[in-house]
Amino acid sequence: MAGMADRHPSPRASPEAGAPALDCSGLSRAFGGLMALNDVSFRLGAGEIVGILGPNGAGKTTFINVLSGLLRASAGSVRIYGDDVTALSMEDRARKGLFRTFQNTRPSEELTGREMLRLASLTPNRTGTSVGLSADELLATFELTAFADVILSDLPYGVQKMINLAAVSLCRPRVLLLDEPFQGVADAEIARLSDLIRHFAASGVAIGLVEHNVRSVMALCDRVLVLDSGALIFEGKGPDAIADLRVQEAYLGQRFARELHG
C-alpha cells in the first residue's frame, strides 16, 4: 500500500502531553457470580498496536466490550488521553475518539462498496468536520477501486473488512479496537489488512486487537496481552509471550510454541 499515507486523511489527533491514548486501571466485569474480567490494567500508546490473546472464555470479548463502552465495568476506570470515560456510553466514547469494529461486518445485501462509503461520509465524524474526500477518492486511497461497484455481500470477507476500516477512517479515530479482524480471512487478504492496520498506527491511531490468529498477531503487533479466566497473565513482546510457561500452559501449548519459535 505504498503511497497511502500521502493520500489518506490522517486520523491523528494531538495527544495530551504525557497521557497514554488508552489507559484502563483495575478493570473488572462480573456477570452474577462469574468474574469474566478481573482487575485488568494496561496502557496503550499513540501509534502502538497491541494484540489481545487468550483461550476461549478468557475474557477477551468482555474486555473489548468494556473498553468500548458496550458493557459497563463492575469496577475500575477507562481513560482516553487522560479523559475519564468510565461512565460514558459507547456513543459518547466515540465522540472522544474511541471506535471499535465487530467480528462480523454484516454488510447490506444491497449496498456496493462505493455506496457504503458515500453513506459513511454523511455521518459527522469525531471532529465535526469533513475529510474532504469523495467515496471514489477514499476507495483509491485504500486501493479498493476494483470493488467499488460490487455488492458488499458478494465480496471476499477480507475485502469487506477493509471497506469497513475505510469507513471507520472517516470518523478520525484516536483509539481503534478491532474484534477478530482476521477471522475467516484468506492469507493474502490478511496481509493487506495488516498493511492497512499498520497505516492507521503510523498516522498516530492507538490500536488494540482481539485475535486468534497467533502468527499474524506476532507479525503485526508491537506488544501482546494474554488473558486467562478473566485475568491478565502476560504483557510484553510477542517472542517473550511464546516462551512464557504460563502462556504455554493456558493457551499456546508447548508444541505450538516450539513451532512459532521455529
Side-chain angles (χ1 to χ4, degrees), residues 15-30:
E16 287 76 355
L22 181 66
D23 185 357
C24 71
S25 179
L27 213 56
S28 298
R29 170 69 192 203

Side-chain angles (χ1 to χ4, degrees), residues 92-174:
D92 287 337
R93 293 185 198 200
R95 293 186 181 95
K96 298 287 187 180
L98 190 154
F99 291 83
R100 63 150 315 160
T101 65
F102 292 85
Q103 290 182 32
N104 299 313
T105 56
R106 296 187 182 91
S108 167
E109 294 182 357
E110 300 178 356
L111 288 182
T112 65
R114 178 183 286 113
E115 289 167 342
M116 178 179 173
L117 291 178
R118 283 177 177 168
L119 183 63
S121 69
L122 299 176
T123 304
N125 64 36
R126 178 183 59 80
T127 65
T129 61
S130 169
V131 297
L133 289 182
S134 68
D136 285 338
E137 288 171 327
L138 198 61
L139 286 163
T141 292
F142 287 96
E143 300 180 7
L144 296 167
T145 301
F147 310 106
D149 296 313
V150 183
I151 300 296
L152 288 172
S153 57
D154 291 338
L155 288 171
Y157 203 37
V159 176
Q160 291 180 25
K161 292 192 173 187
M162 282 185 273
I163 291 175
N164 190 41
L165 281 178
V168 169
S169 75
L170 294 169
C171 301
R172 296 187 179 272
R174 296 201 287 177

Side-chain angles (χ1 to χ4, degrees), residues 131-249:
V131 297
L133 289 182
S134 68
D136 285 338
E137 288 171 327
L138 198 61
L139 286 163
T141 292
F142 287 96
E143 300 180 7
L144 296 167
T145 301
F147 310 106
D149 296 313
V150 183
I151 300 296
L152 288 172
S153 57
D154 291 338
L155 288 171
Y157 203 37
V159 176
Q160 291 180 25
K161 292 192 173 187
M162 282 185 273
I163 291 175
N164 190 41
L165 281 178
V168 169
S169 75
L170 294 169
C171 301
R172 296 187 179 272
R174 296 201 287 177
V175 178
L176 182 57
L177 304 176
L178 307 175
D179 193 357
E180 298 202 26
F182 304 137
Q183 182 188 43
V185 177
D187 288 346
E189 292 163 359
I190 287 176
R192 291 192 67 196
L193 266 172
S194 295
D195 284 345
L196 186 50
I197 292 167
R198 289 188 186 99
H199 164 68
F200 269 81
S203 67
V205 180
I207 297 173
L209 60 94
V210 169
E211 183 53 58
H212 283 290
N213 188 324
V214 178
R215 287 186 173 86
S216 294
V217 168
M218 296 300 175
L220 174 64
C221 295
D222 303 305
R223 189 161 49 96
V224 298
L225 310 179
V226 183
L227 298 175
D228 185 40
S229 300
L232 181 63
I233 64 170
F234 179 87
E235 178 180 359
K237 297 291 185 180
D240 295 331
I242 294 170
D244 190 276
L245 291 178
R246 295 168 302 173
V247 175
Q248 292 180 17
E249 291 173 0

